Amino acid sequence: MAAARFLLTGEHLVCAICLDVVTEPVTTPCGHNFCKACIQHYWDTRVIYQCPLCNARFPTRPQMQVNTVMSELAIGHHKWAQILENQSAHDILCDICSARKDMAVASCLVCLTSFCETHLEPHLRVAGLRGHTLSAPLSGLEDRLCKNHHRLINLYCKTDQAFICCGCMTTDHKNHHIVRLETEYESKRAEVQSAITARSQRLRELKLFTTRARVFNEQLIRSRPGLVAVIWDRRRTAEQQAEGFIKELTMEISELDKKRDDLEHHHCLDEHHRLVDHHRLVLLLSSLPALLNKDLKNTVVDFKLPDTNCVRRCATLLDQEVTLQRLKACAVDVTLDPDTAHCDLIVSSDGKAVMLGATPQDVPDARKRFKHHAVLSKEGFRSGKFYFEVQVKGKTSWAVGVASASLNRKYPVSMSVKNECWVIVLDAGQYRAYGSVSSAFNLSVKEKPQAVGVFVDHDVGQVSFHNVAAKDLIYVFSGLTFNGRVLHPYLCTRSDRSPSDLKPLTITSQSLPN
């Protein structure tokens, strides 16, 4: 029996020098066993090499090697002593004694009964009982029993995920996928390790993400401070989400590590100790599914750090926004000149809006009045830079830009391009640009503008048009030569008096630079 083996060999495992169970046992030529450290220290302090126990002398100092058999016996004895120590707090009594119960010395795993020395005697003598499996006294045998069949629970039903006995195989779990409890234990041990590996990998990915996010943010702060505000909120939200996942996965890995250690402990036990550990193993395996069945897809951060192209696009958008802000610094106060407006047009009293009237206006036929539905501003600019914005929201036909004071007022813009007029036009759903050549350019506009910003730079010969809301550049005329000409803001509306074209074109007020 395992119990007898350890009890008999325990006293033979004592080192005669330290009087404790041997550690790294070595055997002298005379056959006695000592701790390797003890015998080496003993001989280090003596001139004559002899056995401390029988005083046998050796001509030279023996070269001692660890006795592997003795070492395994010593390890087994330590484990056995630990189990007995744990059981000492709740000593197991004989189940057969009726009056004064004696201490049990063994448990029968077939009878599922604990016996004192007297009542154990038949198991050592009777042929039919000698085949039963005996172990050191075990507590809680009733916990190891199937409630239905009163047999030892030593099987696992993978179909129902239940711990069963051999009797259950022929009743409630007939034709189910049944494995030995030890087989399920090995399977779960592998699953736990796989779960730890998967979580550790996801943990590394999340930590790498947070590190890259911080580095990315630092690089933006150094190189493009304006971009930080563009992506800060989403990045910070994702970083907080990742930190939550890191905390959650760290706790799960810690829990799985404990489960793995428990499973490894069971794996290292000998047959008797596994029987002692049986009930704890059942509880351990029962607690694993909740951890192992978690879907790690739920720990994916819903955010990707922008790649180089994305950063470049963001930088472009930012540049456009910064550019538009710079242009707005050149804003001028513009009012429309009613003396230049076609007779069908009505200019507002503040000179900021123009719209098509229901009937022609009774106005003088001045030389500078347009013969088509256009109007110029009172203000003209001969040099430097200037910027203004026009609201075109809701209108389906319009023209906005700048024109020279010497522009021929008799002809529409499409016929006056050679007369120093630079505009963009919306007509029949198509955007076009008219400049200092006779042909028009069809434009590809990403987003329909609600307001158009117009910027003129006399010094470099440039007129550019911007979608104010989208902060996009619509079109730019460059390489122009104004030769000191006075340029006026130019607005034009259609003449078919449709509801959309009765809406005004409005020059929006800008915060003027100090």
Side-chain angles (χ1 to χ4, degrees), residues 96-294:
I96 305 301
C97 293
S98 56
R100 185 181 67 82
K101 288 184 175 291
D102 291 333
M103 294 296 179
V105 296
S107 293
C108 176
L109 299 179
V110 177
C111 302
L112 296 173
T113 305
S114 297
F115 300 100
C116 65
E117 188 173 0
T118 300
H119 291 114
L120 179 64
E121 189 272 337
H123 276 75
L124 306 177
R125 176 176 50 81
V126 178
L129 297 177
R130 282 203 302 266
H132 287 193
T133 303
L134 298 177
S135 77
L138 295 174
S139 62
L141 285 173
E142 63 278 4
D143 294 331
R144 294 166 166 79
L145 292 178
C146 171
K147 306 301 181 186
N148 297 326
H149 304 98
H150 302 286
R151 295 184 183 181
L152 185 68
I153 296 174
N154 58 356
L155 300 171
Y156 183 76
C157 175
K158 295 183 78 69
T159 304
D160 294 337
Q161 297 186 356
F163 298 94
I164 63 174
C165 71
C166 57
C168 298
M169 294 177 63
T170 59
T171 55
D172 296 341
H173 300 272
K174 188 176 182 180
N175 298 325
H176 287 189
H177 184 193
I178 308 296
V179 296
R180 291 178 60 249
L181 189 59
E182 289 297 317
T183 302
E184 178 63 14
Y185 146 75
E186 292 291 348
S187 173
K188 284 292 185 286
R189 193 159 71 104
E191 286 184 38
V192 167
Q193 184 56 54
S194 177
I196 291 174
T197 301
R199 282 160 175 75
S200 298
Q201 175 63 26
R202 182 55 55 82
L203 190 61
R204 285 192 294 271
E205 292 172 356
L206 290 169
K207 288 182 177 179
L208 181 61
F209 168 81
T210 56
T211 300
R212 286 179 173 173
R214 285 192 290 271
V215 171
F216 178 76
N217 193 60
E218 290 169 0
Q219 290 174 342
L220 283 181
I221 290 174
R222 288 195 300 269
S223 61
R224 302 303 297 268
L227 274 182
V228 176
V230 177
I231 63 172
W232 170 263
D233 289 339
R234 286 195 61 214
R235 185 197 67 81
R236 184 56 191 153
T237 300
E239 202 171 339
Q240 290 174 343
Q241 186 183 26
E243 288 169 355
F245 289 151
I246 288 173
K247 183 177 180 181
E248 180 182 338
L249 287 172
T250 301
M251 293 176 62
E252 288 183 10
I253 290 174
S254 177
E255 182 67 20
L256 284 168
D257 277 334
K258 293 178 182 177
K259 303 293 185 185
R260 178 181 62 182
D261 291 343
D262 288 341
L263 290 171
E264 289 296 334
H265 169 75
H266 183 81
H267 178 70
C268 295
L269 297 178
D270 57 26
E271 182 179 357
H272 165 71
H273 297 132
R274 287 193 180 189
L275 290 169
V276 175
D277 204 47
H278 173 90
H279 183 57
R280 195 169 69 89
L281 177 63
V282 171
L283 295 177
L284 175 61
L285 294 180
S286 300
S287 67
L288 288 176
L291 277 171
L292 297 179
N293 295 337
K294 179 175 178 179

Side-chain angles (χ1 to χ4, degrees), residues 367-378:
R367 182 178 61 84
K368 61 180 182 179
R369 192 177 301 281
F370 281 99
K371 302 304 180 183
H372 59 279
H373 293 153
V375 61
L376 291 180
S377 69
K378 292 180 179 179

